Amino acid sequence: MTLIDGKAIAQEVRHEIRAEVAEWVAAGHEAPGLATVLVGDDPASAVYVGGKQKACAEVGMRGFDHRLAADTSEDEVKRLLHQLNEDPAVSGILLQLPPPPHIDGPKLTEEIAPGKDVDGLTPISTGLLHKNLPGLRPCTPLGCMELLKRHDVDLQGAEAVVVGRSDLVGKPISALLLQANATVTTAHSRTKDLAEVCRRADVLVAAVGVTHLIKGDWVKEGAVVIDVGMNRLDGKLTGDVEFEAASERARLITPVPGGVGPMTIAMLLRNTLQAAKAAAAA
Amino acid sequence: MTLIDGKAIAQEVRHEIRAEVAEWVAAGHEAPGLATVLVGDDPASAVYVGGKQKACAEVGMRGFDHRLAADTSEDEVKRLLHQLNEDPAVSGILLQLPPPPHIDGPKLTEEIAPGKDVDGLTPISTGLLHKNLPGLRPCTPLGCMELLKRHDVDLQGAEAVVVGRSDLVGKPISALLLQANATVTTAHSRTKDLAEVCRRADVLVAAVGVTHLIKGDWVKEGAVVIDVGMNRLDGKLTGDVEFEAASERARLITPVPGGVGPMTIAMLLRNTLQAAKAAAAA
């Protein structure tokens, strides 16, 4: 078994992006800019936003860190988003979710211009993904694909099983695997014999958010296992897969933490750069 | 084996729509209106458009039958679509594909307002489908689901296999089956052992457009088979499934012709009515 070192791969990607940004700027372009919008003072959200802004700065991108009071009205947030849509210095916009309860986060996200939707979560970005048209894809699914790519996992005709069907991870990763020519099964809480379904997977992606739902003996000998789960168990971060038992059978497996997690911000940076280049070409 | 009589079910649906339209009009609303736009004089396309307009009239809807010369510019078509978007008498708009080669059909389709996209094929409609948000779904996949529903096929946890991944049929039907809580596998030309994948299907949907690609012995005993194929073989219309051999094993199966085919227009009518009601509620 080989461990998929998401931390190291994310670092590699970030180095590449830094070089690409430097090249872009050297060619006379403005540095790409990422605007983050945080409403309220949820401490976890503040940490996430801080991490994204820091990552931005490290690769030479500009950051626009908008923090609004918890009682900001939906209309005010909408106005800010429209302003950022119009601002040529802003390549990508990210509305940190969840906002305070009086604000409909997913609905507000739809106000972000498709070309700046670096989270890739609006209906139009979702449509472009499923129709395989150019557009911005969600970051965590992109991160999973990048891990597979860096390990040269052959997806052509591979049996891929995705457990979970969230808009954020399960469904988009199924779409990306399908585009990579895998035969893709999407399984979920209503799946009748989840063990059997998992056992046929050459590539098994777990994205349900239930600690150790996927048992070690559900992993086919020689399979590749991507664990997107981020669950708390006795104060420790754990995945959806019984890691110890699964590693005895898997050929490649992501640990939690240090697997998929670090890839999300790396892919956000890549999306921001892609958005900047697409805007310049338009 | 029981035959799924698409012709009879489509007729049933059309009767229901006619009653619902009458009720809608009796309640003081305008009759829903379907605008079809045909560019050029492809005879097959003219027949399709004629069929849709006729079906419209039969259920008491208004038809707006726009026929443009083959040399109409993309800009002129775009202007017409925008005009139809603004016209309150028009509930649904359908741009008949394929247009003449100088016109980018799928691109032009994107000009149709999401609320009037009764073909359900624009990126935004695709996004709404995959995010399970309210919107208009593509007609042929809806027709397949309706056939399953009228036969009380239990999809909860069922193993569904969709062969084919087109934007028009394969991918949207996979999404609809997933929403109905089936465990969904999308297979295609790169699938390694298609026979084995098909054999695990409780519900098998064939949507590839290759005559008799799906062999009779790939059908699990007691499975439900939906054949979306419409292929010409020796001047006769045939499906993607070896019908004779498959019927010996299937519990329910659609014939070709007379299975899925007649459902498409019925679902187009239903979409038009749905669009009219949504517009009135907005």
Side-chain angles (χ1 to χ4, degrees):
Chain A
M1 184 275 301
T2 304
L3 215 58
I4 299 179
D5 186 345
K7 220 171 144 184
I9 294 175
Q11 207 45 48
E12 219 171 281
V13 171
R14 286 159 75 152
H15 279 299
E16 291 165 12
I17 293 170
R18 188 165 62 184
E20 213 183 312
V21 167
E23 202 181 316
W24 179 248
V25 171
H29 299 279
E30 295 287 328
L34 174 67
T36 52
V37 178
L38 174 62
V39 187
D41 38 24
D42 178 61
S45 291
V47 168
Y48 290 142
V49 164
K52 289 165 189 174
Q53 284 296 341
K54 185 162 162 277
C56 232
E58 280 169 10
V59 296
M61 291 185 187
R62 280 178 296 174
F64 304 94
D65 187 352
H66 294 271
R67 307 208 174 202
L68 307 176
D71 62 352
T72 307
S73 74
E74 219 171 79
D75 265 0
E76 280 173 87
V77 184
K78 199 185 280 189
R79 261 199 303 279
L80 173 59
L81 293 176
H82 291 176
Q83 196 183 305
L84 296 171
N85 282 343
E86 296 304 317
D87 186 347
V90 172
S91 319
I93 305 169
L94 184 151
L95 175 66
Q96 185 66 40
L97 300 179
H102 70 283
I103 286 177
D104 182 346
K107 191 77 206 156
L108 258 186
T109 300
E110 294 181 21
E111 300 296 325
I112 298 171
K116 298 193 178 188
D117 175 27
V118 284
D119 249 352
L121 295 176
T122 58
I124 184 120
S125 294
T126 303
L128 295 172
L129 160 64
H130 286 275
K131 289 179 88 84
N132 207 2
L133 291 169
L136 295 158
R137 312 304 191 214
C139 301
T140 302
L142 275 184
C144 297
M145 296 304 289
E146 192 65 30
L147 293 177
L148 295 170
K149 194 177 158 191
R150 301 261 165 168
H151 278 275
D152 291 317
V153 174
D154 185 10
L155 294 171
Q156 287 267 352
E159 283 265 4
V161 174
V162 178
V163 187
R165 51 174 165 171
S166 67
D167 289 341
L168 204 60
V169 185
K171 284 191 279 187
I173 200 171
S174 289
L176 292 171
L177 287 164
L178 186 63
Q179 273 162 32
N181 291 326
T183 300
V184 182
T185 299
T186 310
H188 44 80
S189 55
R190 309 296 180 87
T191 292
K192 264 180 194 143
D193 192 345
L194 188 56
E196 270 313 297
V197 173
C198 289
R199 280 190 190 110
R200 59 194 194 214
D202 299 317
V203 175
L204 179 61
V205 179
V208 266
V210 178
T211 301
H212 299 172
L213 175 78
I214 311 292
K215 307 301 169 204
D217 69 346
W218 296 8
V219 173
K220 183 161 115 176
E221 203 68 51
V224 175
V225 179
I226 304 287
D227 190 347
V228 190
M230 296 263 262
N231 317 298
R232 292 246 157 236
L233 181 70
D234 307 328
K236 271 181 57 190
L237 209 57
T238 61
D240 292 346
V241 179
E242 273 191 351
F243 181 79
E244 295 300 334
S247 353
E248 285 169 27
R249 306 168 68 105
R251 173 168 77 81
L252 284 166
I253 187 168
T254 58
V256 177
V260 174
M263 295 300 292
T264 301
I265 287 186
M267 293 299 117
L268 174 68
L269 297 173
R270 184 186 279 174
N271 271 354
T272 305
L273 178 55
Q274 179 189 323
K277 291 191 168 182
Chain B
M1 183 274 300
T2 304
L3 215 59
I4 298 180
D5 186 345
K7 217 170 145 186
I9 293 175
Q11 206 47 48
E12 219 172 281
V13 171
R14 287 159 74 152
H15 279 299
E16 290 165 12
I17 293 170
R18 187 165 62 182
E20 213 182 315
V21 168
E23 204 181 314
W24 178 248
V25 170
H29 299 278
E30 294 288 327
L34 175 68
T36 52
V37 178
L38 174 63
V39 186
D41 38 25
D42 177 62
S45 291
V47 168
Y48 290 142
V49 163
K52 289 166 188 174
Q53 284 295 343
K54 186 162 163 276
C56 232
E58 279 170 9
V59 297
M61 290 183 186
R62 280 179 296 173
F64 304 94
D65 188 352
H66 294 270
R67 307 208 174 201
L68 307 176
D71 62 352
T72 306
S73 75
E74 219 171 78
D75 264 0
E76 281 173 88
V77 184
K78 200 185 280 191
R79 261 200 301 280
L80 172 59
L81 293 175
H82 290 177
Q83 194 182 307
L84 296 171
N85 283 343
E86 296 303 318
D87 186 347
V90 172
S91 320
I93 305 169
L94 184 151
L95 175 66
Q96 185 66 42
L97 300 179
H102 70 283
I103 287 178
D104 181 346
K107 191 78 205 154
L108 258 186
T109 299
E110 295 181 21
E111 300 295 325
I112 297 170
K116 298 192 177 187
D117 175 27
V118 285
D119 250 352
L121 295 177
T122 58
I124 183 122
S125 294
T126 303
L128 295 172
L129 161 63
H130 286 274
K131 290 179 87 81
N132 207 1
L133 290 170
L136 295 159
R137 312 304 192 214
C139 301
T140 302
L142 275 184
C144 296
M145 296 304 288
E146 191 66 30
L147 293 178
L148 295 171
K149 193 176 157 193
R150 301 261 165 168
H151 278 275
D152 291 317
V153 174
D154 185 10
L155 294 171
Q156 287 267 352
E159 284 266 3
V161 174
V162 177
V163 187
R165 51 175 165 170
S166 67
D167 288 342
L168 205 60
V169 184
K171 284 191 279 186
I173 200 170
S174 289
L176 292 171
L177 287 165
L178 186 63
Q179 273 162 34
N181 292 324
T183 300
V184 182
T185 299
T186 310
H188 43 81
S189 55
R190 308 297 180 87
T191 292
K192 264 180 194 144
D193 191 344
L194 188 55
E196 270 314 296
V197 173
C198 289
R199 280 189 189 112
R200 60 194 194 214
D202 300 316
V203 175
L204 179 61
V205 179
V208 265
V210 178
T211 301
H212 299 172
L213 175 78
I214 312 291
K215 306 302 169 205
D217 69 346
W218 296 7
V219 173
K220 183 161 113 176
E221 202 68 50
V224 175
V225 179
I226 304 287
D227 190 347
V228 190
M230 295 263 264
N231 318 297
R232 293 245 156 236
L233 181 71
D234 308 327
K236 270 181 61 190
L237 209 57
T238 61
D240 292 345
V241 179
E242 274 191 351
F243 180 80
E244 296 300 334
S247 351
E248 283 168 28
R249 307 169 68 105
R251 172 168 76 82
L252 284 167
I253 187 168
T254 58
V256 177
V260 174
M263 294 301 292
T264 301
I265 287 187
M267 293 299 116
L268 174 67
L269 297 173
R270 184 186 279 175
N271 272 354
T272 305
L273 178 55
Q274 178 188 324
K277 291 190 167 182

